[in-house]
Amino acid sequence: MSIAAGVKEILGKSLQIDADGNLVNLQDWDEEIAGEIAKEEGIEVLTEDHWKVINFMRKVYSDTGDAPSIRKLTMQSGVDTKLLYALFPKGPAKKAARIAGLPKPKGCI
Amino acid sequence: MSEENTYEPIKKVSIIVSKGSLEGVYPGLIMANGARMEGIEANLFFTFFGMEAIINKKMDHLKVATVGNPAMHMPTLLGSLPGMSALATHMMGKEMEKIDIPPVREFIQMIHDAGCNIYACKASVDMFHLKKEDFCEEVDDVITVGEFYETSAGANIIFT
């Protein structure tokens, strides 16, 4: 869990965010909030494939304490590298983590 | 990342890989992949022995150099024994797998799928008498140094 650096209004709720703008508390997140964060990131509608990635990330985070690497994402989430970049243009790991209500991934790959 | 700064974020990088040892190739690959992960446009340019990383017959057999590298902390005579380089390569490969760094071929494919263009250097290709068919399919083109600079317009150039 990261340290709160500010507060953000999403759907009328005041939610704590860290220095990167990601949610601090896992339990603040729900699917509606994910949809709102996605819009801020320029993704109007979260499709089934987006959800595959988001759910996989949340699962890995709850198991390991860190978001998965791009390699793990593309090998295990059911979404390949090309599709991953198409779904989350301009930085898939970081964007998907933010939408999934997780801190920025720590790994380099 | 909370400090205020007025610097422009990096938008585009051109990464040159010029060395053919395993430890010479990986930094460039990691930086190219990392750039794409951050949404930074990236081009990878392989020159001289760096081309070993994209030559079909060689890219699965890159080795760590155990001689001439003081950071290995291995006496030169020991490092020169048969099998030492293979052993060091094997050990490094195991450590890399642990932190999810893929083998060269898989990494090149992943980087290319991530939208990074991959080029071989024309001068090196001519010097080593290579053809486009000698390279893995991810290689987009063989280009001259002039074309490399054209492609790199607006980019930061990183030489490894």
Side-chain angles (χ1 to χ4, degrees), chain B residues 11-42:
Chain B
K11 293 200 183 79
K12 181 176 173 183
V13 290
S14 274
I15 299 165
I16 303 166
V17 177
S18 68
K19 297 183 184 73
S21 59
L22 199 65
E23 77 275 17
V25 160
Y26 266 107
L29 300 188
I30 292 171
M31 292 196 74
N33 181 63
R36 292 301 303 131
M37 278 167 63
E38 292 293 311
I40 297 168
E41 193 183 330

Side-chain angles (χ1 to χ4, degrees), chain B residues 4-5 7 19-20 24 33 44 58 66 77 82 88 90 96 104 106 130 134 143 147-148:
Chain B
E4 293 280 323
N5 73 52
Y7 300 118
K19 297 183 184 73
N33 181 63
L44 253 176
K58 302 205 169 157
T66 45
L77 280 174
H90 177 71
M96 288 197 299
V104 172
E106 185 193 331
L130 292 164
D134 294 320
I143 63 173
E147 287 166 331
F148 165 76

Side-chain angles (χ1 to χ4, degrees), chain A residues 19-97:
Chain A
D20 300 310
N22 295 23
L23 294 185
V24 169
N25 301 307
L26 282 178
Q27 64 273 19
D28 283 347
W29 182 92
D30 62 29
E31 296 191 355
E32 264 186 291
I33 287 181
E36 287 303 304
I37 303 174
K39 277 182 203 153
E40 285 173 18
E41 296 292 338
I43 300 166
E44 280 308 310
V45 181
L46 289 173
T47 64
E48 196 184 319
D49 285 329
H50 287 102
W51 283 112
K52 266 190 211 167
V53 175
I54 294 166
N55 291 331
F56 179 77
M57 285 192 108
R58 283 184 69 88
K59 187 185 174 303
V60 171
Y61 186 86
S62 75
D63 292 347
T64 68
D66 192 13
S69 66
I70 293 268
R71 186 189 188 206
K72 211 174 263 157
L73 262 178
T74 58
M75 283 170 87
Q76 297 173 13
S77 71
V79 167
D80 67 19
T81 310
K82 274 185 194 165
L83 181 55
L84 188 67
Y85 277 86
L87 292 170
F88 301 95
K90 301 251 163 204
K94 225 162 64 171
K95 279 209 167 180

